[in-house]
């Protein structure tokens, strides 16, 4: 350590520790930006605006894509839906055969559209309330056309098809026709065994596609008007994903295409019976989200991840930056000393000088670094290395704050002399 020995120096304060003075160079404040150049705040605002613009464009694209896709995705067994679980394929095949398909969502619309030249398809009979079941039953008795009930259970059979009971679940996926009904014999095996089986003692009933001794398809004559009612235990033959399997397409076209008009009844929530639970299992949140929006959310998530990777901090080795201004360490030390003097911080200056001297002396006399600031460990070790007149090492290294600048300069000189004597002993 070197004390301020130059009498012409403009300051009388001691230098900070050598650990600070040994820095080869420090940086000065960066020069002010050129006139007209954007400052950091302006650049940050521009970056935020660009990011928000990109997010807005992405969101608009997602919304437009979902809106365009939503037109052909209306739900399960919907003839307008091209999803695997929709029924658009069978509706298109019926259209090619001259059958007009009309979609209705209320029991009253379905009953009003029924007639001798009409096939009424009820996709979810168990969802209907008592009032709606009565309306459909009246249409079955009076229309003179065909009514197809998809997978009705005992909940709805009592009113829609009296005299028919369920016989449990089918255990054969693709049963053989097992009857003389021309529609079934020409279609061959079909996927009617994925749902319920039925049993009845009504006269004139035709039982087809048996599974375990009970039919999965029943054709019942209806009243004096010449119509009939078809009970189908599974809706699989109408789904897009399975229409081409076995004889599904043939059976579906013959059951629904026997009349020139087809009324496709998709019961709405308004037709539901509040006192009974739906026949199917509860759907999860993801199943309730339309397919178009699911893909849109997935695309948005992928875009967000890519944007995060694009804007994230890059990891890599440190890059040395060219300093605009280089300042000598001695100049930085003098500047620090002037700041101490201006603030009248003799206590801080004395503490820094003593602490740095103690650490250097501890290394010279073999005292562990952890005990460098312990008077009981450092002072005896330093005193043992001194020669000549005895000195109060404890007061010098751990004493009180100097009373004025002259005393601070004297402290720096004494510390410097003590360190020099220990180094040369």
């Amino acid at each position: 350590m070197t004390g301020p020995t130059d009498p012409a120096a403009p300051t009388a304060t001691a230098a900070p520790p050598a650990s600070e003075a040994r820095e080869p160079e420090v940086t000065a404040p960066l020069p002010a930006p050129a006139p007209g150049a954007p400052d950091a705040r302006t650049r940050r605002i521009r970056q935020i605006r660009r990011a928000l613009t990109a997010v807005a464009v992405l969101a608009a694209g997602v919304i437009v894509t979902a809106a365009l896709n939503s037109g052909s995705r209306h739900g399960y067994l919907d003839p307008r839906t091209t999803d695997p679980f929709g029924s658009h394929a069978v509706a298109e095949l019926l259209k090619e055969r001259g059958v007009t398909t009309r979609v209705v969502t209320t029991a009253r619309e379905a009953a009003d559209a029924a007639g001798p030249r009409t096939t009424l398809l009820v996709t979810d009979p168990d969802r209907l309330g008592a009032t709606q079941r009565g309306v459909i039953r009246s249409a079955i008795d009076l229309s003179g056309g065909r009514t197809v009930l998809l997978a009705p259970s005992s909940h709805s059979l009592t009113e829609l098809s009296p005299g028919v009971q369920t016989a449990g679940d089918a255990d054969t996926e693709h049963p053989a026709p097992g009857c003389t009904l021309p529609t079934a014999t020409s279609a061959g095996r079909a996927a009617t065994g994925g749902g319920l089986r039925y049993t009845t003692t009504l006269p004139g009933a035709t039982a087809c596609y048996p599974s375990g001794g009970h039919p999965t398809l029943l054709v019942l004559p209806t009243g004096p008007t010449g119509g009939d009612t078809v009970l189908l235990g599974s809706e699989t033959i109408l789904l897009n994903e399975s229409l081409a399997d076995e004889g599904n397409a043939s059976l579906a076209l013959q059951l629904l295409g026997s009349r020139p008009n087809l009324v496709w009844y998709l019961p709405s929530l308004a037709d539901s019976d509040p006192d009974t639970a739906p026949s199917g299992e509860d759907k999860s949140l993801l199943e309730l989200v339309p397919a178009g929006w699911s893909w849109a959310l997935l695309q948005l998530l992928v875009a967000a991840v890519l944007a995060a990777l694009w804007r994230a901090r890059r990891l890599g080795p440190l890059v040395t930056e060219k300093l605009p201004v280089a300042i000598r360490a001695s100049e930085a030390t003098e500047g620090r000393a002037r700041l101490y003097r201006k603030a009248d911080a003799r206590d801080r200056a004395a503490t820094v000088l003593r602490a740095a001297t103690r650490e250097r002396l501890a290394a010279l006399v073999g005292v562990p670094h952890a005990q460098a600031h312990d008077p009981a460990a450092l002072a005896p070790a330093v005193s043992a290395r001194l020669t000549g007149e005895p000195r109060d090492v404890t007061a010098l290294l751990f004493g009180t704050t100097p009373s004025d600048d002259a005393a601070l300069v004297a402290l720096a000189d004494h510390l410097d002399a003590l360190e020099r004597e220990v180094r040369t002993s």
Side-chain angles (χ1 to χ4, degrees), residues 87-107:
S87 299
H88 181 73
V90 67
E92 286 296 311
L93 292 177
L94 289 171
K95 181 179 179 181
E96 293 178 0
R97 294 171 178 264
V99 178
T100 303
T101 301
R102 174 186 174 187
V103 178
V104 297
T105 57
T106 64

Side-chain angles (χ1 to χ4, degrees), residues 169-218:
D169 295 332
D171 54 10
T172 305
E173 289 289 336
H174 298 83
C179 65
T180 59
L181 183 69
T183 298
T185 55
S186 62
R189 290 183 178 271
T192 62
L196 297 173
R197 299 178 301 173
Y198 301 100
T199 179
T200 183
T201 58
L202 294 176
T206 303
C208 297
Y209 294 99
S211 175
H214 296 284
T216 57
L217 186 149
L218 275 178

Side-chain angles (χ1 to χ4, degrees), residues 25 37 59 63 106 124 135 159 166 181 189 198 203-204 250 253 255-256 265 286 289 297 299 304 314 341 377 411 416:
E25 56 186 24
I63 293 174
T106 64
D124 194 355
V135 172
E159 296 181 54
T166 58
L181 183 69
R189 290 183 178 271
Y198 301 100
S250 176
L253 293 177
L255 291 179
L256 302 182
Y265 177 27
L286 293 179
V289 177
L297 293 176
Q299 294 174 11
R314 300 296 188 268
R341 182 179 184 182
L411 173 63
D416 184 53

Side-chain angles (χ1 to χ4, degrees), residues 96-393:
E96 293 178 0
R97 294 171 178 264
V99 178
T100 303
T101 301
R102 174 186 174 187
V103 178
V104 297
T105 57
T106 64
R108 178 51 57 189
E109 288 179 319
D112 292 342
R117 296 171 54 82
T118 301
T119 299
L120 172 61
L121 172 64
V122 183
T123 59
D124 194 355
D126 290 348
R127 175 177 287 188
L128 302 180
T131 302
Q132 287 73 25
R133 290 195 297 268
V135 172
I136 296 300
R137 182 61 206 179
S138 298
I140 293 174
D141 293 335
L142 301 176
S143 66
R146 167 170 287 183
T147 302
V148 179
L149 304 178
L150 288 185
S153 68
S154 57
H155 172 68
S156 58
L157 283 175
T158 304
E159 296 181 54
L160 295 180
S161 186
V164 179
Q165 296 82 33
T166 58
D169 295 332
D171 54 10
T172 305
E173 289 289 336
H174 298 83
C179 65
T180 59
L181 183 69
T183 298
T185 55
S186 62
R189 290 183 178 271
T192 62
L196 297 173
R197 299 178 301 173
Y198 301 100
T199 179
T200 183
T201 58
L202 294 176
T206 303
C208 297
Y209 294 99
S211 175
H214 296 284
T216 57
L217 186 149
L218 275 178
V219 180
L220 306 172
T222 305
T225 57
D228 60 9
T229 301
V230 178
L231 275 63
L232 189 60
S234 174
E235 69 276 11
T236 306
I237 66 170
L238 302 181
L239 300 179
N240 293 330
E241 65 174 2
S242 56
L243 186 63
D245 297 343
E246 298 285 348
N248 293 349
S250 176
L251 182 60
L253 293 177
Q254 293 184 75
L255 291 179
L256 302 182
S258 61
R259 273 78 172 171
N261 299 310
L262 172 62
V263 177
W264 200 296
Y265 177 27
L266 298 172
S268 61
L269 292 178
D271 288 341
S272 300
D273 191 343
D275 299 329
T276 58
S279 59
E281 297 181 355
D282 292 338
K283 294 184 179 181
S284 64
L285 178 60
L286 293 179
E287 292 175 338
L288 295 176
V289 177
W293 286 101
S294 299
W295 282 107
L297 293 176
L298 178 60
Q299 294 174 11
L300 184 60
L301 177 61
V302 172
V305 173
L306 294 178
L309 294 176
W310 169 51
R311 299 298 300 172
R313 182 184 297 275
R314 300 296 188 268
L315 302 178
L318 295 177
V319 178
T320 303
E321 184 178 1
K322 185 178 180 180
L323 301 178
V325 180
I327 301 177
R328 296 178 62 84
S330 60
E331 296 179 7
T333 302
E334 291 180 2
R336 178 75 62 83
R338 290 190 182 96
L339 291 176
Y340 281 150
R341 182 179 184 182
K342 185 177 181 180
D344 198 20
R346 285 185 296 273
D347 54 345
R348 172 63 179 165
T351 300
V352 171
L353 289 171
R354 282 170 168 156
T357 303
R358 290 196 298 266
E359 292 178 358
R360 292 193 295 272
L361 289 175
L364 292 174
V365 300
V367 175
H369 184 270
Q371 299 178 352
H373 304 290
D374 183 5
L378 183 62
V382 173
S383 299
R385 300 284 294 272
L386 300 179
T387 60
E389 298 180 1
R391 278 166 286 178
D392 189 357
V393 176

